[in-house]
Amino acid sequence: MENNIAVGLDIGTTKIVAMIGRKNEYGKVEILGIGKSKSLGVHRGVVNNITQTIQSIQLAVQEAETAAGIKIEGVTVGIAGQHIRSLQHSDYITRANSELVIDEEDIDRLINQVHKLVMLPGEEIIHVLPQEYKVDGQAEIKEPVGMYGGRLEANFHVVVGQVSSIRNVGRCIQSAGLDLEGVTLEPLASSNAVLSQEEKEAGVALIDIGGGTTDLAIFRDGIIRHTAVIPFGGNVITEDIKEGCSIIEKQAELLKIKFGSAWPGENKDNEIVSIPGLRGREPKEITLKNLSKIIHARVVEIVEQVYVEIKNYGHEEQKKKLIAGIVLTGGGAQLKHLKQLVEYITGMDTRIGFPNEHLAGDSDGEITSPLFATAVGLVMDGLKRNERKKAEVIVEESDFLVDETEETKEETETIQPVKERRSFLDKLTEKVKDFLDNAE
């Protein structure tokens, strides 16, 4: 596989998407091929049947390979599911020599210290995201590198997940004959695909409504402040329709997509849909008003749970106000009148997030659907990882230059941090890989 191509693999509860993309000359992401398969072995974002998940991954990957005419070797995969939780943590290091400026190594030392936090049994830290730093008590420092100080302190957003769930995803990918190139938290991938930098600065809550879970990511001042996974999604709405109307799941899903609305007032009493009965039974007649009442009840429950999380973060305080409001994405965001309902419940500005911000202008309309936000984000993440690797290779090659001119020295120094500060996700990916190698 070429170096400038990346593959995102979104292992969801309802669907598995493999997406192949590359950067075009304008720095936008061009999607070369996409493959989609029904997800059979995943429940609420967690793999519960490895054999079925492997088959679904292989189907999606083959479809994407055929569409793009490229052989897929490695993938960047999204981690989500009800086992994800996040916490805030403050930590500090004391530097031996405050006469030297703070460098990347000090920050790495501080981040590594957070990784030594004692977690509950079976849990592992997935992300450690620094928020603000303090140097010798001086607060609100975004980038401490180059400053003088003896005590370096920081607030961290720590994302935690279950070791076994992460390893099961790794096992599925390996058994499907693929390399695991990177692991990313799905709400982070979605937010990279649908949010603009201005929104992240102003303060925004991204709600990604999937089939099995609803993911929340809150940004302010360009930094992620809070993440949460709510263990409900579009599937519980389908389940309610199935029970409430006594029909089979396939019909319930179609009803939801075609006629469903989150706002019951929209439908007249006399609007009726007729559903064919099973094996010669009488057809069923369902009023659209009833249908939207069922949907409304469940959507209100999901939105209210998300709103509790947003309020927990402190949205009510003037200081932490989210000026850019809420962005809805994921397959569930396609439900009619959902935007209006969310605005009504939360009183916050709301828009539907389409992943077209970073896509090439001539992208297929289907790809720019909120359904594919996570997959697009994972492709972008894979491309970024490729660029980092290239920069590391440049650094390593320049290390071999014995007779360095001043100019080359400067260049090496400017590229150095790329080599120094590897994202923890790279380390996590390596951990999962090591575990899989040892298990064999």
Side-chain angles (χ1 to χ4, degrees):
M1 205 158 69
E2 291 172 53
N3 217 359
N4 60 346
I5 283 176
V7 182
L9 187 67
D10 173 14
I11 302 175
T13 307
T14 33
K15 64 173 187 349
I16 290 182
V17 178
M19 195 179 263
I20 306 174
R22 69 158 173 235
K23 274 229 168 115
N24 66 12
E25 66 266 39
Y26 308 110
K28 294 283 185 189
V29 179
E30 193 182 327
I31 302 302
L32 305 173
I34 184 169
K36 203 167 73 181
S37 69
K38 199 167 163 46
S39 176
L40 297 169
V42 182
H43 179 65
R44 293 208 169 139
V46 181
V47 174
N48 65 357
N49 184 325
I50 286 206
T51 319
Q52 284 185 323
T53 305
I54 292 166
Q55 285 169 351
S56 300
I57 290 172
Q58 284 170 330
L59 274 173
V61 164
Q62 279 162 6
E63 200 180 305
E65 284 179 335
T66 311
I70 293 169
K71 181 93 183 84
I72 294 178
E73 284 156 20
V75 294
T76 298
V77 70
I79 292 282
Q82 58 188 22
H83 61 93
I84 300 285
R85 66 185 185 93
S86 67
L87 51 119
Q88 298 295 83
H89 175 71
S90 295
D91 219 324
Y92 73 92
I93 56 166
T94 309
R95 301 178 61 238
N97 187 349
S98 57
E99 299 300 307
L100 292 174
V101 294
I102 295 167
D103 61 9
E104 297 285 345
E105 270 177 25
D106 292 316
I107 291 174
D108 273 352
R109 215 177 98 211
L110 182 54
I111 289 174
N112 287 335
Q113 193 163 299
V114 178
H115 282 297
K116 296 191 182 99
L117 269 181
V118 178
M119 287 293 127
L120 294 171
E123 280 191 333
E124 191 167 291
I125 292 176
I126 301 175
H127 287 262
V128 170
L129 305 159
Q131 304 200 314
E132 287 109 354
Y133 294 92
K134 271 187 192 172
V135 178
D136 289 350
Q138 182 190 338
E140 292 185 10
I141 293 168
K142 288 264 172 74
E143 182 55 271
V145 171
M147 295 179 79
Y148 289 98
R151 179 185 163 111
L152 176 65
E153 207 175 329
N155 293 328
F156 292 97
H157 179 76
V158 183
V159 182
V160 181
Q162 259 172 9
V163 181
S164 54
S165 302
I166 298 165
R167 284 173 179 169
N168 282 339
V169 170
R171 161 76 59 227
C172 290
I173 286 162
Q174 193 186 39
S175 304
L178 300 163
D179 284 339
L180 181 63
E181 282 184 354
V183 179
T184 302
L185 187 67
E186 295 208 343
L188 282 184
S190 308
S191 55
N192 285 340
V194 302
L195 298 179
S196 68
Q197 195 49 44
E198 287 89 348
E199 283 176 315
K200 288 182 183 177
E201 288 290 339
V204 67
L206 177 86
I207 303 173
D208 184 344
I209 308 171
T213 56
T214 298
D215 302 335
L216 169 72
I218 297 178
F219 290 83
R220 236 188 77 256
D221 301 331
I223 299 166
I224 186 148
R225 302 290 177 176
H226 185 62
T227 46
V229 176
I230 287 130
F232 301 124
N235 287 3
V236 283
I237 301 171
T238 307
E239 197 64 33
D240 286 355
I241 298 169
K242 179 181 136 181
E243 297 295 326
C245 303
S246 307
I247 53 178
I248 61 170
E249 197 167 328
K250 203 164 130 193
Q251 292 171 335
E253 183 67 25
L254 278 171
L255 260 186
K256 178 179 82 175
I257 292 167
K258 267 199 138 126
F259 303 103
S261 159
W263 203 265
E266 284 297 314
N267 301 109
K268 313 274 182 296
D269 288 327
N270 58 358
E271 288 180 289
I272 288 173
V273 179
S274 182
I275 288 169
L278 298 176
R279 277 287 172 105
R281 290 178 181 83
E282 289 293 302
K284 279 210 170 62
E285 290 193 338
I286 290 162
T287 69
L288 290 190
K289 199 164 193 91
N290 267 350
L291 176 68
S292 60
K293 271 182 185 164
I294 294 170
I295 294 172
H296 176 80
R298 182 59 86 173
V299 173
V300 166
E301 191 186 346
I302 294 172
V303 174
E304 279 178 347
Q305 283 216 23
V306 175
Y307 191 41
V308 165
E309 285 287 344
I310 294 173
K311 283 195 287 200
N312 282 351
Y313 158 70
H315 169 67
E316 298 298 294
E317 304 165 33
Q318 202 56 38
K319 191 169 143 279
K320 289 184 175 178
K321 213 153 179 57
L322 304 175
I323 297 163
I326 290 174
V327 176
L328 299 167
T329 193
Q334 294 166 302
L335 187 63
K336 281 190 215 58
H337 307 116
L338 179 63
K339 170 184 172 318
Q340 289 86 330
L341 180 69
V342 172
E343 283 183 339
Y344 176 72
I345 292 173
T346 63
M348 293 164 77
D349 270 350
T350 305
R351 76 170 176 93
I352 305 292
F354 297 91
N356 50 8
E357 171 107 2
H358 304 279
L359 289 176
D362 55 356
S363 294
D364 185 352
E366 189 199 13
I367 296 164
T368 57
S369 151
L371 201 67
F372 295 120
T374 306
V376 171
L378 291 170
V379 170
M380 286 164 54
D381 210 71
L383 291 168
K384 227 180 254 158
R385 196 172 272 108
N386 287 350
E387 280 167 20
R388 263 210 309 273
K389 278 183 194 154
K390 269 186 208 161
E392 280 178 24
V393 170
I394 296 168
V395 172
E396 277 157 22
E397 282 173 1
S398 60
D399 283 350
F400 286 119
L401 298 171
V402 184
D403 181 24
E404 282 188 335
T405 60
E406 277 308 304
E407 213 174 294
T408 343
K409 247 186 202 155
E410 269 173 35
E411 262 178 45
T412 313
E413 276 160 21
T414 50
I415 305 171
Q416 206 67 30
V418 183
K419 186 181 173 187
E420 286 290 350
R421 193 194 286 188
R422 282 164 57 241
S423 97
F424 176 65
L425 285 179
D426 296 346
K427 294 176 195 167
L428 177 72
T429 307
E430 275 166 30
K431 260 195 203 171
V432 176
K433 278 184 185 165
D434 290 345
F435 170 78
L436 293 173
D437 291 344
N438 297 336
E440 279 175 6

